[in-house]
Amino acid sequence: NAGVTQTPKFRVLKTGQSMTLLCAQDMNHEYMYWYRQDPGMGLRLIHYSVGEGTTAKGEVPDGYNVSRLKKQNFLLGLESAAPSQTSVYFCASSSQGPDTQYFGPGTRLTVL
Amino acid sequence: RKEVEQDPGPFNVPEGATVAFNCTYSNSASQSFFWYRQDCRKEPKLLMSVYSSGNEDGRFTAQLNRASQYISLLIRDSKLSDSATYLCVASRGSNYKLTFGKGTLLTVNP
């Protein structure tokens, strides 16, 4: 029973490098979300998707891009990583209603 | 002003104690409210939804006061396993975006 999985679990990047974080869910959920969590800031929404082929900006979208080509996958891209993007990234998915939002285990990203 | 604000904590309580967390939200358009629990270095997990009529789940009781824009969580008979960060969450709009408070760290001591 996988639920929501995230790849990779850890990553260290140098400033200016690019990478893609993958989120996959096997619950046939329509809605998917990317958050970042920083000490003292709480969880903040980066981008979200309300269905396959759709994406929308959240609270802190700058420096990130997303794609939802398949219903089960939601990709978060960093084109040119910056130290300010050092954070823990969580993906979540939900079906109908906010109380069904399930989170993945997170990706710890460090940008040097 | 942040949209969801919580007690900053941390709370340190002995086993068996009763502890209460408070939370306020600034956007009156918020429709749904929740408490999530997050263990150290883990993902958040839904603890319980919060309804205007109040709701209880075992040792946990949640209350919502829409007039005061205030949410609370009461934990009775605290257990060591209750040690975690508790996140107050509000939702509004049809896209079910969640707005999280910064969280309150609870440590239950033997």
Side-chain angles (χ1 to χ4, degrees), chain B residues 64-75:
Chain B
L64 166 64
N65 184 321
R66 287 191 185 271
S68 303
Q69 296 184 193
Y70 171 87
I71 305 156
S72 66
L73 175 68
L74 184 75
I75 305 176

Side-chain angles (χ1 to χ4, degrees), chain A residues 80-93:
Chain A
S80 180
S84 61
Q85 294 177 304
T86 294
S87 189
V88 180
Y89 292 85
F90 287 103
C91 176
S93 71

Side-chain angles (χ1 to χ4, degrees), chain B residues 80-96:
Chain B
L80 295 176
S81 57
D82 293 333
S83 296
T85 296
Y86 290 82
L87 305 169
C88 178
V89 184
S91 172
R92 58 184 171 89
S94 59
N95 295 327
Y96 307 122

Side-chain angles (χ1 to χ4, degrees), chain B residues 23-38:
Chain B
C23 171
T24 57
Y25 61 96
S26 60
N27 194 324
S28 59
S30 297
Q31 299 159 310
S32 304
F33 306 91
F34 312 92
W35 286 100
Y36 274 68
R37 171 194 168 126
Q38 185 174 24

Side-chain angles (χ1 to χ4, degrees), chain A residues 13-31:
Chain A
L13 289 179
K14 294 181 179 178
T15 297
Q17 287 184 317
S18 63
M19 78 163 295
T20 300
L21 282 66
L22 171 63
C23 176
Q25 52 96 2
D26 62 3
M27 297 175 282
N28 201 35
H29 285 169
E30 289 293 334
Y31 300 84

Side-chain angles (χ1 to χ4, degrees), chain A residues 33-36 43-46 89-90 101 103, chain B residues 98 100:
Chain A
Y33 310 84
W34 275 107
Y35 297 89
R36 60 178 288 174
L43 278 138
R44 293 180 292 170
L45 183 65
I46 305 171
Y89 292 85
F90 287 103
Q101 201 163 125
F103 283 78
Chain B
L98 301 182
F100 287 79

